[in-house]
Amino acid sequence: MPDFMGMGESNVRIAVLSGKGGTGKTLVSANLAAAAPDAIYLDCDVEEPNGHLFFKPEHVQEEEVTIKIPVVDNTVCNGCRKCVDFCRFNALAYIKDRLIVFDEICHSCGGCVMLCPEKALTEQDKVIGKVQKGISGDVTVHTGMLNTGEASGVPIIKSLLDGIKDSPDSTVFVDCPPGSACIVMESIRDADYCVLVAEPTLFGVHNLSMVYDLVKLFNKPFGVVLNKCLEGENPAEEFCVERGIKILAKIPFHHDLGLLTSNAEIAVRKDEKYKEMFSSLLNMVMGEVQCEATSHS
Amino acid sequence: MKIAVPVDEKDLETNVCGSFGRAPYFLIYETETKKSTFIENSALASPGGAGIKAAQLIVDSQAGVLLTPRCGENAAGVLESAGIKIYRTRFASVKENLDSLSNGKLSLLEDIHAGFHGHGGE
């Protein structure tokens, strides 16, 4: 196995993403982490984290994630509306001599509290979810969980990323949320390399093109894993070939892989054939990362 | 009493706008003087919370009634706490809706939608 370490101060971070759910992000990221010698698996799909169902981590520690929300004392507020005019997200309204705060619109910038000349606004913690950390074999499993009904999982992802700063030698595999919105941008922000997972359908091409645009916008090196491959045409493969996009692997649409996955097993840990397949994908990805590191040094 | 309507253009012949929070203008009709004025919707280009800001504008205009084809829950929350009644428009033309309201033929907007938070802006 090539030397993955010694590539700098921080760990190597591989983000796995796709334009929609169900393409195989968790399959790829969990199996890559399981194939690596010392890995951190980071489940950033905070609205529906499922990696922990496969890893079944032990010695789980849990921490709440809070955000700051302004709270008004309407007996002090003089209705100057500086806060209302300032808030870019319109989380505040002044109606009938009362200031109203819309918690779920607030982005916790704290600007209204700083601006208030009457000091009528204070900040209060609001719990929006939690992060868990546990051990599964050689893999440290970090899971972000956003409470139902909360608008943004970004603070949970920030907390997850903060939580891996003290383990610089491990390779990090980020299981991203589906799509290409803010929450995905946050997940890939510090990534050294992005793995895009795609399905072999026209719909799959549409979803692939969304994340393709995103990683290009962020100037991230990337490659594609074609999942659920069958005999015959593969529009996602054609998309890659036409654009000269690196295809890292083609995962066959096999009954045994589906069965392992539906039984919440990690294929790499159960079947030598898949251990070989994901180890070779891991080598390829790490080779790409090193190649990028060299060409940019 | 003042009646507010989200409209597409700054013109008395304009149509009702399909969106409340992101309508370009609001027409304010004063029932006593029968005069109309227009206010620009500064919430139009907001990255988020357009409904709240637009509702704040309606509250500040001192309208007692809003005629709109639809309204999100945050905007409705602001309007309701200011005691503004929300009626559902039935026609494209502003005039027809105002006539309908005065004849008691418009009904209150009951199905307040959950909003489009995070779609497009965030």
Side-chain angles (χ1 to χ4, degrees):
Chain A
M1 195 167 282
D3 176 23
F4 298 156
M5 312 309 163
M7 291 189 47
E9 295 297 303
S10 71
N11 28 32
V12 174
R13 297 185 182 187
I14 314 296
V16 180
L17 59 163
S18 73
K20 74 166 188 67
T23 49
K25 288 181 296 299
T26 301
L27 174 83
V28 171
S29 51
N31 278 288
L32 280 175
D38 172 14
I40 292 174
Y41 167 83
L42 212 62
D43 201 343
C44 287
D45 192 1
V46 299
E47 285 179 26
E48 42 206 1
N50 61 348
H52 65 101
L53 301 175
F54 293 90
F55 281 111
K56 303 164 190 76
E58 293 173 333
H59 313 294
V60 175
Q61 297 166 327
E62 200 171 285
E63 220 174 276
E64 282 185 333
V65 178
T66 58
I67 56 169
K68 301 276 187 201
I69 292 291
V71 179
V72 63
D73 180 348
N74 270 304
T75 61
V76 180
C77 174
N78 68 356
C80 76
R81 298 197 187 196
K82 285 206 165 95
C83 55
V84 175
D85 296 338
F86 170 79
C87 184
R88 208 169 159 250
F89 296 96
N90 304 315
L92 300 140
Y94 190 77
I95 311 297
K96 292 216 158 170
D97 304 330
R98 281 182 47 122
L99 185 69
I100 304 174
V101 179
F102 289 85
D103 288 6
E104 71 278 17
I105 306 267
C106 174
H107 281 55
S108 304
C109 76
C112 54
V113 177
M114 286 167 74
L115 272 178
C116 180
E118 302 300 316
K119 307 226 179 309
L121 287 164
T122 47
E123 281 184 313
Q124 239 172 44
D125 281 340
K126 180 188 176 199
V127 177
I128 59 155
K130 60 187 177 187
V131 288
Q132 287 184 341
K133 179 183 175 182
I135 304 291
S136 169
D138 290 338
V139 184
T140 311
V141 179
H142 294 249
T143 306
M145 297 172 169
L146 181 69
N147 288 348
T148 306
E150 290 301 335
S152 172
V154 170
I156 309 256
I157 291 173
K158 287 194 161 130
S159 171
L160 281 172
L161 293 169
D162 278 347
I164 56 167
K165 281 182 178 156
D166 53 354
S167 25
D169 294 333
S170 310
T171 308
V172 182
F173 297 90
V174 182
D175 192 354
C176 291
S180 54
C182 277
I183 194 165
V184 182
M185 300 180 200
E186 191 65 34
S187 306
I188 67 165
R189 208 183 52 187
D190 298 328
D192 298 294
Y193 192 82
C194 292
V195 176
L196 317 184
V197 186
E199 284 179 353
T201 60
L202 283 177
F203 187 43
V205 171
H206 171 75
N207 294 303
L208 174 60
S209 73
M210 282 164 56
V211 279
Y212 168 69
D213 288 344
L214 183 74
V215 293
K216 288 231 303 192
L217 187 69
F218 274 67
N219 215 5
K220 297 283 179 192
F222 66 98
V224 169
V225 169
L226 299 168
N227 194 18
K228 307 181 191 178
C229 291
L230 293 159
E231 294 289 315
E233 62 177 313
N234 185 335
E237 184 171 15
E238 287 163 26
F239 178 91
C240 295
V241 171
E242 281 166 17
R243 284 160 188 78
I245 299 167
K246 175 109 184 161
I247 295 171
L248 300 162
K250 291 165 85 168
I251 302 174
F253 197 40
H254 267 176
H255 182 260
D256 58 347
L257 184 56
L259 194 64
L260 281 169
T261 303
S262 64
N263 286 329
E265 299 288 1
I266 292 168
V268 161
R269 291 179 176 173
K270 288 283 163 184
D271 189 321
E272 202 55 38
K273 175 175 73 201
Y274 291 117
K275 187 176 181 181
E276 228 167 81
M277 186 171 94
F278 282 100
S279 296
S280 118
L281 174 60
L282 179 67
N283 279 331
M284 191 139 179
V285 168
M286 287 306 183
E288 291 286 312
V289 174
Q290 275 189 327
C291 181
E292 282 294 325
T294 317
S295 65
H296 285 94
S297 58
Chain B
M1 185 186 61
K2 286 179 175 173
I3 301 166
V5 192
V7 292
D8 290 327
E9 280 162 66
K10 208 172 172 173
D11 184 306
L12 288 171
E13 301 302 310
T14 183
N15 282 340
V16 176
C17 179
S19 164
F20 167 68
R22 297 195 187 271
Y25 303 98
F26 293 108
L27 182 147
I28 310 292
Y29 178 75
E30 170 66 69
T31 50
E32 273 125 60
T33 62
K34 296 191 166 36
K35 282 196 171 142
S36 298
T37 48
F38 292 91
I39 48 177
E40 256 181 62
N41 181 13
S42 51
L44 179 60
S46 287
I52 296 169
K53 193 171 184 181
Q56 174 85 64
L57 282 171
I58 300 303
V59 173
D60 294 345
S61 78
Q62 293 173 327
V65 168
L66 169 70
L67 309 185
T68 181
R70 53 187 187 178
C71 184
E73 60 183 0
N74 287 329
V78 170
L79 296 165
E80 274 160 20
S81 50
I84 296 172
K85 288 203 164 64
I86 311 169
Y87 288 89
R88 180 199 291 280
T89 53
R90 288 174 57 202
F91 311 98
S93 135
V94 173
K95 190 173 179 306
E96 280 182 75
N97 285 299
L98 288 172
D99 290 345
S100 255
L101 179 74
S102 65
N103 296 332
K105 287 192 177 145
L106 288 191
S107 45
L108 289 171
L109 181 70
E110 305 283 354
D111 51 335
I112 301 299
H113 69 78
F116 305 110
H117 317 146
H119 294 261
E122 292 193 48

